[in-house]
Amino acid sequence: MTAFPDSGFLSEASEGLKAMLAAQASEVNLARGEVLFEQDDEGDALYAILEGTLEASFLAMSGRKLSLSLMRAGEVFGEIALFDNGPRTATITAAEPSKVLRVRRRDVMEQIRQNPGLAVDMIRLAGLRMRWMGAQLNEQVFLPMPVRLARKLLLLAGQQEAPTARITLSQSELAEFVGATREAVSKTISTWKRSNVVEASRGGLQIHDLDALKQLAESDLI
């Protein structure tokens, strides 16, 4: 039995719940470019990455594919499907040969019927997930756009192992991510460029000063 990573959604789970999930898990091997599930597919399972890298992406209103993030070994995703079988909000694709653990919702529900005590842990984890989603909504609604942009760039930069980072998203795509106009994003980036924090080009954005960007991401500084 392969143990689940003790991270993300499962970092607050009891040992009993993690053991149950591990017992119900099966391994899925993905070739590079293989799709695990697509946006709008019915959610039916929780996943944890054992090896490799997966890309999360979605189709914007313009019809363009936007890359949300790269997920690596140890990350857990798809947990909402344990509580609700609604549509997936993103497409998950293997960026390289990868191996994941999958736990199907129907198997978890069967175990909870047999062991009702596990439901208490599941409810607690659902509450934690709701708090996290509420914090994300508050950030989107109440934080100034430059702060949201700085935090998004830091999130993307954190997926790279380098003192500087290149973000291969256009300013229009970044605007869609932070809920702003392209003009507002362009103006902010131009301001940061004068301080040599970032530099924009046709192919994306180069971050020159991650420490300065972290300071810009603090809401009390803007």
Side-chain angles (χ1 to χ4, degrees), residues 37 50 135 144 200 216:
F37 58 75
L50 296 178
L216 290 166

Side-chain angles (χ1 to χ4, degrees), residues 32 88 167 178:
R32 185 177 186 275
R88 296 290 192 183
I167 310 301
V178 300

